[in-house]
Structure formats: C-alpha cells, structure tokens
Amino acid sequence: MIDKNHKEAAPTIFIIFGITGDLAGRKLLPALLALYSRRMLPKEFSIIGISRRIWTREDFRQFIREHIKIRPGQYKEEDVKHFIDHIEYEQGLFDSALLYESLKSRIANIENRFKRCCNKLFHLSVPSNHCEPILKNLSELKLHEECSDELGWTRVLVEKPFGNDIDTAIRLDKLLASLFREEQIFRIDHYLAKEALQNILTFRFANSLFEPLWNHNFIDRVHIRLLEKNDVSGRATFYDSVGALKDVGQNHLLQMLALTAMEEPNDFNPENIRKERARVLKNLEPFPTRNLKEAVVRAQYKGYENEKGVAPASQTETYFLLKTFINNQRWANVPFFLESGRALKEAKTEICIYFKDQNTSSKKSEKRENVLVFRIQPDEGIKIRFWVKTPGFPMLIEPKTLSFKYSDIGTEDAIPDAYEKLIHDAIWGDQTLFASTDEVIYAWKYITPIIRSWGTVTLLEYPKGSMGPIE
Ligand code: BG6
C-alpha cells in the first residue's frame, strides 16, 4: 500500500467493539471492504469483531455476507471472500474481564502469525456509556500500550455522540487522555469526511470570487439542513435515548456550521484547521434558555411512540429547528438556522447561503436574493441562484440557476464513502477529519443548556412524510 510518504503500513489489527451493531453493518464493514478492494489497507491486517451475541464463526460470516450490501459487479468475489477470511469474532460482555483476557490472547496469536508487534486500532462503535468500561478493561490488561509510536502503535476511534452531555464528555475525555496522547485519539464525526463538505473549504479559499462577500455585510442568513426520510425503526431504542439534537445536531450540523463560518487557517495542517473550526463553536452565542421557545422548534412525528423500542409517552424529539448566532465581527447578527428531522417528505443535506438583496429599491415582496447552495447529499454539488432579464420587450427579471454536480466529473465509485476516508486517515495518523477535544467540548457547552431546558418547549407533532411541523 502507498501512503502519503510512500511507505508500507505495518501489520495492523482492527478491533471493533459493537461489530453486530447497525453502524458496523451499514458503514464500517463496507468501508473496510472497499479499502481492501482498492488495495488501501495494510498488506497484512486482521479484524477482530466484538459483540455480546453468542455466535459461531459461521453465524458471524453469514451476518457479514448479509450486511455488506454489494452492488452486482462492484467487487471481485475472491476479494470479498479473502476480506471475510481476515475477520475473527470475539464474543463477550463489554464490562466482563473475561472478554479482555480472551481478546489479549487472540491479539497475541495474530502477532505470532505476523511475527511482530502489530499496530492496533480500537474502534468503539458502541453507545457512549460503554466507552468507559471498555477503556478501563483495555488498560487493566495494558492492551492500550504501544510498542512504539511508529511501529506497533495503538490508536482509538470513538464514535459520536461523544458523551451524553458536557459533564460526561469531559469525563470521557479525561479517561482517554489518561491512556492515550491526543495524536492517538480519533473522535469520529463522519460528516467531516464527506467529500462535498470537505469541498467547502476549497470552494471558499481557492476561489477569490466569494470570500470577500463571506461576512455580515453581504450575507443575510444561512440555513443548514439534514433532512431524512427514514423513520427510526431498527434503531428506535438507541434513538429514543438521544433524540435528534444529540444524534445529529451536537455534531454533524455544528460541524457543517463550523466549516461554513470558520476563518482561513494560517496553513492547512490538521491542527490549524481544527483550531479554526473550534473557534467558531466557542463563539456560538449561548441560548437564552429562559426564552428558549423563541429560538427553537422541536417536534415528534405522529406514530413515533408506536415504534418498537420507544418508551411509552416518550418526549424525544425527531425534529428540531434552531436559530443561532456567532459572536464575532464577521458574522454579527447573521442568523444560522439548523434544521434536522426524521420521517420527512424528502431526504437532503445542504447548506444554503442567502445573500442580501443590495438593491435598495427592491420591495420586500420581490426580494432578489442570490443563493449559494452546497448540496452535501444526495446529488452532491453546488448551485447558485442569480437573476437575469427575461427575454422580450418589457423589463422583467427572473431567477436562473448555475449548477455543478459531482456526478459530472466522476463515477459514484470515485467518491470514497466518509468511513473509508476516516479509516484510511486513522491508519495514517491524519486527524484533519476528526473532531478535536476542543470542538467536542465547545459543541456540548452550547448544546447542553438547550437539552436541559428542552422540557420548557412544547413538543409539536408532524405527520410522517411531511415537511415537518412548519410546512
Ligand atoms: C448518524 C446518525 O451519525 O448520521 C444517524 O446517528 C443519521 O441517525 C446519520 O441517520 C446520517 O448520516 P448519513 O451519512 O446517512 O447522512
């Protein structure tokens, strides 16, 4: 395999906690297979999947086959077979010492086979309350220790939500910091690795056209949406315990906001990019919690309480809309709207920048705004709405759209999935696409007071398949 320095990666063991969970089946295993088929995994590697289900190796292989959705012709069958041959199953409870004894000897066997101390990537694909017991048990047996930070390193990947509020996030961070150096900790927000989102920085800083306008003098408002058609079935128990704001607001939406609003870093190294993203989150104006209802809408789709796994009379929101501001000169008084919901009419993720109508003679009813839209998914691309004269005698004006689609320049396979990039970058130690401790903590500092006052905001209802509570 070729890395940025054209070096071969040492043998690597991926240790995935929560291998039978929704995320592992939908994203992690497909991403590992994709990297394997692109020959972008280390030549020598092994995957240990851990779950509490009592399964034989055969049951587990069957599970993998069923979960990795492969399009006809996507991969060579022999690649799929060889990939699955690299995966071992380890059964156990995350808080049981027995699991870690057995894991230790399994790792030792693999290292004997590879005849050296291997790199180890611990992926905590589990709800956040399992992180502490896992980390403590790993450290009891010194499994987190590395042979050296170059060969035989250990790294840990932690899924979001990172903690459950500001207090639990700080506690988890402290525990991680007691076992690993910051360069070994990879906090996942897979939105940071989406191609169309990464492109925002390129678009802003490589084109001199827009950056001069990127401020409160020219921008009227920004609307960031992550709308989903799916309801919560299949993940209802987890979802009901977090709700939309913690599930995607505290992380994905705030990261989209940070990339849109951040200052240009001195250079584009991971540390500086993360610092600038963190600065935006730090400057978010705290919510007027006493008057929360004026700044937020929260709602639940009709029939949510009947989903299997949802608590009776649950007050968990499946939709929210927040109006927020950034306390700095560039963004003075520019509202940022953050919106997300489940079971909606349409699935789309986008960032819309509405420019001010500079024409002072325009009447309110005929505002002529220019709008720049970053479409993150589906149909990744960029659109600009502008105004032209309608051909003909009268002086009429109408909107038109300039548009660019990623599909015009590459095939679907050319755009790597976010998880492919994350795993790839974690192997090579690049933290640009991962959240720093500051980002996570500032995001929680902002979100926690809202969540603690949620009860004061009426939970609205909306029908499934609608546009949400405000049509
Ligand atoms: C995950 C959330 O982090 O992101 C899910 O837990 C959500 O609830 C998902 O559906 C959205 O990610 P994507 O990549 O499918 O847009």
Side-chain angles (χ1 to χ4, degrees):
M1 125 150 216
I2 305 292
D3 84 328
K4 293 158 193 159
N5 306 314
H6 303 279
K7 274 195 297 196
E8 184 86 16
T12 301
I13 309 176
F14 299 88
I15 300 132
I16 305 177
F17 289 85
I19 193 73
T20 55
D22 171 73
L23 181 73
R26 250 178 343 107
K27 306 259 190 188
L28 303 186
L29 288 168
L32 282 159
L33 170 60
L35 285 170
Y36 178 68
S37 92
R38 291 181 200 266
R39 304 292 176 258
M40 290 178 84
L41 286 184
K43 231 190 235 149
E44 295 179 300
F45 75 96
S46 198
I47 300 173
I48 304 175
I50 305 170
S51 156
R52 58 186 169 179
R53 295 194 201 181
I54 302 175
W55 273 357
T56 61
R57 185 157 197 226
E58 255 339 285
D59 295 334
F60 182 53
R61 291 170 76 92
Q62 185 63 25
F63 164 86
I64 298 173
R65 281 270 173 197
E66 280 164 15
H67 277 76
I68 306 181
K69 300 232 159 40
I70 299 175
R71 295 192 305 278
Q74 191 180 1
Y75 299 116
K76 292 189 200 132
E77 174 51 31
E78 68 203 62
D79 274 356
V80 178
K81 186 180 168 309
H82 287 155
F83 172 73
I84 295 178
D85 286 344
H86 284 81
I87 315 182
E88 304 184 14
Y89 184 60
E90 180 71 55
Q91 189 273 331
L93 298 173
F94 298 144
D95 56 0
S96 145
L98 286 178
L99 166 65
Y100 299 86
E101 293 288 352
S102 166
L103 178 62
K104 187 173 181 172
S105 68
R106 195 179 283 275
I107 290 176
N109 287 343
I110 297 172
E111 292 192 318
N112 280 341
R113 207 163 68 224
F114 290 139
K115 298 192 179 58
R116 60 199 286 190
C117 172
C118 296
N119 297 332
K120 292 166 206 83
L121 200 61
F122 295 100
H123 193 137
L124 311 191
S125 174
V126 293
S128 141
N129 58 323
H130 290 303
C131 291
E132 200 171 306
I134 293 175
L135 292 166
K136 286 194 167 151
N137 276 293
L138 287 177
S139 82
E140 288 279 302
L141 294 188
K142 302 197 185 324
L143 286 171
H144 68 294
E145 287 183 357
E146 49 190 7
C147 298
S148 99
D149 59 0
E150 290 206 352
L151 290 178
W153 47 248
T154 55
R155 292 182 186 149
V156 60
L157 286 159
V158 187
E159 283 294 337
K160 48 125 301 248
F162 185 94
N164 199 34
D165 57 18
I166 181 76
D167 301 333
T168 47
I170 290 177
R171 195 179 143 129
L172 176 55
D173 225 25
K174 278 197 180 143
L175 176 59
L176 281 164
S178 68
L179 303 175
F180 300 98
R181 298 182 314 282
E182 179 62 19
E183 310 88 83
Q184 294 173 277
I185 305 169
F186 292 74
R187 300 172 193 80
I188 294 188
D189 181 328
H190 75 284
Y191 264 60
L192 285 172
K194 288 194 185 265
E195 188 73 31
L197 205 56
Q198 281 183 272
N199 186 42
I200 291 187
L201 293 192
T202 314
F203 183 87
R204 283 185 55 194
F205 301 124
N207 299 299
S208 50
L209 195 58
F210 286 98
E211 198 51 24
L213 310 181
W214 218 252
N215 58 58
H216 69 102
N217 292 320
F218 296 93
I219 292 179
D220 183 69
R221 65 194 184 283
V222 177
H223 202 131
I224 301 176
R225 301 184 175 87
L226 192 171
L227 310 182
E228 299 188 81
K229 256 179 161 169
N230 295 342
D231 56 27
V232 302
S233 41
R235 291 178 80 215
T237 311
F238 163 76
Y239 194 91
D240 199 43
S241 70
V242 290
L245 186 59
K246 283 191 201 174
D247 185 38
V248 298
Q250 183 271 346
N251 34 72
H252 306 333
L253 275 101
L254 286 184
Q255 285 293 0
M256 287 197 262
L257 176 144
L259 286 167
T260 308
M262 68 185 245
E263 299 298 316
E264 183 167 6
N266 290 342
D267 62 46
F268 281 76
N269 73 29
E271 204 187 322
N272 288 337
I273 295 178
R274 289 173 7 140
K275 243 186 217 158
E276 291 303 339
R277 291 197 310 245
R279 227 141 58 99
V280 175
L281 301 175
K282 184 180 179 188
N283 283 331
L284 286 171
E285 193 168 293
F287 261 92
T289 39
R290 257 180 293 150
N291 222 353
L292 201 60
K293 7 186 197 307
E294 296 188 359
V296 309
V297 177
R298 77 189 277 261
Q300 189 184 78
Y301 64 79
K302 286 189 185 145
Y304 172 76
E305 71 276 14
N306 302 328
E307 302 280 6
K308 199 169 157 234
V310 168
S314 165
Q315 290 292 297
T316 299
E317 80 288 350
T318 59
Y319 172 98
F320 66 83
L321 172 63
L322 307 182
K323 181 179 174 186
T324 188
F325 292 90
I326 301 169
N327 265 334
N328 64 18
Q329 220 183 349
R330 183 189 282 271
W331 296 111
N333 298 321
V334 178
F336 282 73
F337 294 92
L338 307 181
E339 181 183 15
S340 183
R342 287 278 188 158
L344 296 173
K345 185 175 175 188
E346 204 183 351
K348 66 173 175 191
T349 303
E350 63 184 18
I351 301 172
C352 303
I353 320 279
Y354 295 87
F355 289 86
K356 287 182 175 161
D357 179 358
Q358 302 287 344
N359 184 348
T360 45
S361 66
S362 294
K363 290 190 212 119
K364 217 175 176 195
S365 57
E366 51 180 46
K367 263 210 174 323
R368 290 191 202 114
E369 290 177 320
N370 293 119
V371 187
L372 169 63
V373 180
F374 295 99
R375 176 55 83 89
I376 313 301
Q377 63 192 32
D379 303 326
E380 290 90 337
I382 297 173
K383 281 189 191 165
I384 298 172
R385 186 172 73 181
F386 63 107
W387 297 83
V388 295
K389 178 183 169 305
T390 307
F393 292 100
M395 188 53 201
L396 296 174
I397 293 183
E398 63 182 55
K400 287 285 172 228
T401 305
L402 276 174
S403 103
F404 154 73
K405 278 192 180 181
Y406 280 73
S407 54
D408 296 342
I409 51 169
T411 61
E412 203 179 318
D413 290 337
I415 303 182
D417 177 72
Y419 268 92
E420 277 182 62
K421 282 202 213 151
L422 293 174
I423 294 170
H424 173 265
D425 286 4
I427 298 170
W428 294 108
D430 183 337
Q431 294 186 307
T432 314
L433 304 181
F434 295 86
S436 64
T437 172
D438 285 349
E439 288 171 273
V440 169
I441 299 303
Y442 291 138
W444 274 125
K445 262 196 182 147
Y446 174 71
I447 293 287
T448 303
I450 307 176
I451 288 168
R452 292 192 178 149
S453 314
W454 248 170
T456 63
V457 182
T458 314
L459 185 69
L460 304 176
E461 266 199 335
Y462 60 95
K464 267 179 143 178
S466 70
M467 303 285 283
I470 339 164
E471 281 290 334

